[in-house]
Each structure stands twice: as C-alpha cells, then as structure tokens.
C-alpha cells in the first residue's frame, strides 16, 4: 500500500472519528443523515482500495455532501489524486467544491489555491495564473501561498520582469527609519531568486553588448544577494569588456573570499583579467597566494604552468608534487603524471587512462540542498529548483 494512500486513510479515519463523536452529541433525528454520509465514506474507501480512482471521485462528488465538516475529506482526496498523477480527478473534486457557495469565503479561496495547483500539475498555467491572481487580490490568508505559485509560474515561463514583480511582493516593506529584521529562510530564498532573475536579464544584454543596461541589472543582482557568485562573475566580465581589469579582479577576489568553493569557476575570468596587465610574474604570485588561501587544484595547476615558463620544468614539477602530497586530488595526480617526462611506460599510461576515466565518470558539481550531482554547473537546480545551491565538489574527486 502506497504512502499517499496510507496518508489519505489516516485523514479519512480522523474525520470519521470526529463525525461519529459529533453524532453522539446531536439530536437523534439526524441519524439517517449520518448513516448516509458514513456509507459514502465506506463506498469511496472501497473504490480507493481497489485502485478505482475515477469511481472514488464520482462517489465523493455525488454522495458526500459539501459543508465545512466534510471539506477536509474532499481536499485530502483531491490532494491524493494530484500526488498520484490523477490530475483530472483532482480538478473535478475541486471544481465541485467551487460550485457550492455554502462554503465560507476563506475556504473557497483555499479551494481556489488547490485548483490552481491542479492546473499547474496539468500544465494549464494560464488558468492557474488567473485563479492565483484572484487569490492574491482578495485573500489575506492565502495571499503569500498564491504569490509563491505565481512566482514559480513566471520563472518556468522565463518571464523575468513579472517574476521580479511578484517576488518583491513576497518581501516585507523596508523603511529607512526602521531597523531591518533578520530575514527569514523564506525571505532569503526569495532574495536569492530575485538576484538570479536580474542575472537572467543581464545575460542577453551582455550578449548584445548592451553593457550599460547589463551593469544596472547586475548591480541589482548583487544588491539582493551579496553572495551570488553568478552576479560577481558576470560583473567581472563586464569590467573586462570595459577595459577595467583591476575592477574585475576586485570582484573576483570578493567571490574567493565569500565563496571559496567556486575558485575553479573564477580562474578563467581571473586569467582573462590579468592578461590586461601583461605581467606574468605578478600573475604567478597572485595564483600562488590564492592557491594557498583556498587550496584550489585549479589554481595550483595554473600556477604550475606559469612557473614552468618562468622558472623551469624541475621547479614547477616540485611545486606540483608538493601540492599533490598535501592534498591529493584526481586533477593534481593527473597533472603530475602529465608533467613527469622520465617514465612513459605502459604502467604510467594505464594510470593516466584510469585517472581520466575516473574524472569523466565522477560528478563535478553537487546541490547543497537536495544532493543532485552532475558535470555541469546549473544556477537553478534541475531537481529541487533552488537557486544558487549547486557548487563545485571539493575533495579527492573535485577541485
């Protein structure tokens, strides 16, 4: 028996117990109504147990009355149907509830919200949007839930301006005369999403070389989330395109200080920024300082390449071997083998192939929220749909 079915049966049992307890304190002339409702419960339950979802829905719609006491049962069945993929059944249950004006207004808005969730599951986003807009405008109790669903709809449709407008409504109003309270976890998540929305707007502007507009979007991105790595990397690219390498380096150093796990993502832009100075010795010194600071294999390997150019092969190999001894990773071991020219026998070739295979098969990035892993950096996790939670893996198999 599935967990969803067990959950529904538990809810059904609790409601039935409450119904029976109420029956003992009611006048006896209502006993026939109680018996009819109990019969509807058992009939719907039998259909569910026999996996006849459609029959269960019709039983509830046709035989179980709609009132404040039976509403939890209707909603529980609708949610169960939606979670099992029976979206059409969930829609019919919730539409049946909306056709009964006897329910209190706040409960009708709750049904509106559930029906909107059904439409979202069915991919009917336009219908869901209309329902959610009504809830936002008319209900104070369910307004925030409706805003959250609206934000997700606009995010999935990549309508970033509308997503930004809705996300702002979810944040408390700020007043410069009042001390700001510490943001809650939900508010921080909204701010993080807002920051990435501005990054999404900035990227096509950068591709179109509209640097001024892109800079404004990225400034807003950094304002909403000062730890958004993506915003700083894009801002550094903007600074480089404006021939401001020092500004780009300052932005990249901010990333390294606040989010050292992303050092490997910083390196390509760091290299590009330093090329504007043309000082290889200064570049090597900077690489070695950061390598010590964050213990990044990517920076160590880059420093080895520059050191070989300036100081020779032996010194570079010694530096690389020392780093690999202190913190062995697949990347550093592969680099050591690549630079070891003395032995190119079959055993070394085999080790090199095995290391390459391990690097190829192992994930490079992992979501800190749900554990999703892969070899590509997604700013929005494909699994849990959280912004900015995927980071490079640190350790033997990562940077």
């Amino acid at each position: 028996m599935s967990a969803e079915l067990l959950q529904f049966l538990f809810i059904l049992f609790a409601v039935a117990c409450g119904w029976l307890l109420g029956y003992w304190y009611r006048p006896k002339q209502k006993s026939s109504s109680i018996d009819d409702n109990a019969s509807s419960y058992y009939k719907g339950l039998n259909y569910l147990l026999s996996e006849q979802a459609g029959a269960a829905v019709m039983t509830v719609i046709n035989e179980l009355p709609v009132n404040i006491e039976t509403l939890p049962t209707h909603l529980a069945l609708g949610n169960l149907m939606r979670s099992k993929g029976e979206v059409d059944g969930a829609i019919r249950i919730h539409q049946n509830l909306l056709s009964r004006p006897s329910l209190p207004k706040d409960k009708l808005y709750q049904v509106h919200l559930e029906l909107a969730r059904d439409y979202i599951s069915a991919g009917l986003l336009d219908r869901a949007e209309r329902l959610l807009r009504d809830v936002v405008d008319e209900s104070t109790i369910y307004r925030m839930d409706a805003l959250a669903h609206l934000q997700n709809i606009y995010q999935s449709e990549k309508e970033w301006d509308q997503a930004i407008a809705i996300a702002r409504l979810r944040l408390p109003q700020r007043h410069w005369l009042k001390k700001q309270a510490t943001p809650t976890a939900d508010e921080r998540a909204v701010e993080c999403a807002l920051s990435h929305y501005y990054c999404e707007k900035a990227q096509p502007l950068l591709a179109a070389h509209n640097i001024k507009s892109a800079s404004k979007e990225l400034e807003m991105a950094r304002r909403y989330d000062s730890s958004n790595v993506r915003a700083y990397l894009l801002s550094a690219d903007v600074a480089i395109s404006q021939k401001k390498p020092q500004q780009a380096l300052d932005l990249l150093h901010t990333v390294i200080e606040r989010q050292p796990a992303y050092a490997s993502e910083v390196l390509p832009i760091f290299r590009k920024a330093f090329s504007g100075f043309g000082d290889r010795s200064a570049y090597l010194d900077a690489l070695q300082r950061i390598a010590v600071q964050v213990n990044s294999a990517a920076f160590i390997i880059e420093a080895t390449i520059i050191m070989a150019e300036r100081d020779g092969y032996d010194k570079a190999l010694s530096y690389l071997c020392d780093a690999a001894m202190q913190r062995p990773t697949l990347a550093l071991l592969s680099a050591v083998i690549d630079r070891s020219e003395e032995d190119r026998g079959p055993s070394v070739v085999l080790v090199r192939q095995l290391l390459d295979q391990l690097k190829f098969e192992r994930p490079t990035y992992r979501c800190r929220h749900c554990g999703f892993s892969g070899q590509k950096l997604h700013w929005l996790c494909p699994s849990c749909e959280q912004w900015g939670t995927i980071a490079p893996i640190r350790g033997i198999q990562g940077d």
Side-chain angles (χ1 to χ4, degrees):
M1 189 178 293
S2 66
E4 293 88 352
L5 184 56
L6 286 173
Q7 181 183 9
F8 173 72
L9 293 177
F10 177 77
I11 296 172
L12 194 62
F13 176 73
V15 173
C17 288
W19 199 292
L20 291 174
L21 287 173
Y23 165 70
W24 291 338
Y25 296 96
R26 289 183 180 181
K28 293 298 181 183
Q29 60 266 26
K30 296 186 179 179
S31 61
S32 61
S33 174
I34 298 296
D35 292 339
D36 292 342
N37 292 335
S39 174
S40 300
Y41 276 122
Y42 292 126
K43 188 181 294 185
L45 179 58
N46 286 333
Y47 284 131
L48 275 176
L49 291 174
S50 59
E51 297 292 331
Q52 300 180 48
V57 170
M58 294 309 300
T59 298
V60 171
I61 290 176
N62 295 330
E63 301 188 26
L64 188 64
V66 176
N67 53 51
I68 194 64
E69 293 173 334
T70 62
L71 180 62
T73 302
H74 286 273
L75 293 177
L77 180 59
N79 290 337
L80 178 60
M81 290 291 175
R82 184 172 63 237
S83 66
K84 288 169 64 68
E86 300 282 347
V87 181
D88 289 341
I91 290 174
R92 294 179 69 181
I93 289 173
H94 294 133
Q95 286 178 335
N96 176 59
L97 294 175
L98 289 180
S99 67
R100 311 302 175 93
S102 58
L103 291 175
K105 211 166 191 179
D106 63 324
K107 298 301 181 183
L108 285 174
Y109 289 132
Q110 183 182 4
V111 178
H112 270 85
L113 191 61
E114 295 299 332
L115 183 57
R117 288 172 175 156
D118 298 338
Y119 286 147
I120 291 172
S121 297
L124 304 173
L125 300 184
D126 290 342
R127 296 187 187 182
E129 181 184 351
R130 287 194 293 271
L131 282 173
L132 293 169
R133 286 283 184 183
D134 290 342
V135 176
V136 169
D137 293 338
E138 300 173 19
S139 173
T140 57
I141 298 175
Y142 298 104
R143 184 172 186 268
M144 284 300 175
D145 288 336
L147 286 172
H149 287 297
L150 270 176
Q151 181 182 332
N152 288 333
I153 287 176
Y154 293 136
Q155 176 180 297
S156 66
E157 295 181 332
K158 298 185 177 181
E159 296 179 2
W160 305 120
D161 286 325
Q162 289 178 288
I164 287 171
I166 294 299
R168 282 176 169 175
L169 293 176
R170 297 181 63 194
L171 295 176
Q173 295 294 323
R174 302 185 183 277
H175 197 285
W176 66 277
L177 289 176
K178 295 181 180 179
K179 183 179 179 181
Q180 302 301 326
T182 303
T184 64
D186 287 341
E187 290 169 359
R188 285 196 296 271
V190 173
E191 290 173 343
C192 179
L194 268 169
S195 182
H196 281 278
Y197 295 161
Y198 282 108
C199 289
E200 292 285 349
K201 291 184 65 181
Q203 283 192 302
L205 294 172
L206 283 173
H209 303 289
N210 189 346
I211 302 301
K212 185 176 180 180
S213 297
S215 297
K216 290 181 179 178
E217 302 294 349
L218 293 172
E219 182 181 352
M220 292 298 295
R222 298 195 304 273
R223 183 182 303 177
Y224 274 106
D225 185 2
S226 60
S227 62
N228 185 349
V229 173
R230 182 188 190 185
Y232 282 90
L233 295 181
L234 290 173
S235 298
D237 271 331
V238 169
I240 292 172
S241 68
Q242 294 176 321
K243 309 299 183 184
K244 298 176 181 178
Q246 187 57 56
Q247 181 180 334
L249 290 174
D250 291 340
L251 290 164
L252 296 175
H253 278 296
T254 301
V255 174
I256 291 169
E257 290 171 3
R258 296 180 182 177
Q259 299 275 9
Y262 289 88
S264 58
E265 304 301 315
V266 168
L267 179 58
I269 308 175
F270 192 83
R271 183 190 302 124
K272 195 189 306 183
F274 249 103
S275 66
F277 294 108
D279 188 342
R280 301 293 276 177
S281 294
Y283 181 45
L284 177 58
D285 292 341
L287 288 171
Q288 289 179 297
R289 284 197 304 271
I290 294 174
V292 171
Q293 179 183 347
V294 299
N295 210 2
S296 167
F299 272 82
I300 291 170
I301 294 171
E302 181 78 358
T304 301
I305 296 171
I306 307 303
M307 190 179 295
E309 297 173 1
R310 192 188 73 173
D311 301 326
Y313 167 81
D314 290 337
K315 187 172 181 179
L317 182 59
S318 176
Y319 170 76
L320 182 61
C321 289
D322 288 343
M325 288 291 290
Q326 292 175 17
R327 181 174 173 264
T329 69
L330 294 180
L332 289 178
L333 293 176
S334 294
V336 169
I337 292 176
D338 283 341
R339 293 201 163 268
S340 299
E341 298 178 348
E342 295 180 359
D343 186 359
R344 290 291 183 180
S347 59
V348 175
V349 173
L350 177 60
V351 171
R352 183 70 178 87
Q353 291 175 346
L354 292 174
L355 286 174
D356 286 343
Q357 185 175 350
L358 285 172
K359 286 168 60 180
F360 178 77
E361 293 177 351
R362 296 282 182 170
T364 311
Y365 303 92
R366 180 174 290 119
C367 177
R368 293 172 293 195
H369 184 263
C370 70
F372 170 86
S373 59
Q375 295 188 338
K376 183 179 178 181
L377 176 58
H378 297 274
W379 295 113
L380 178 66
C381 177
S383 177
C384 64
E385 297 189 344
Q386 297 290 315
W387 287 100
T389 55
I390 293 183
I393 295 173
R394 298 276 287 176
I396 292 177
Q397 68 189 55
D399 184 35

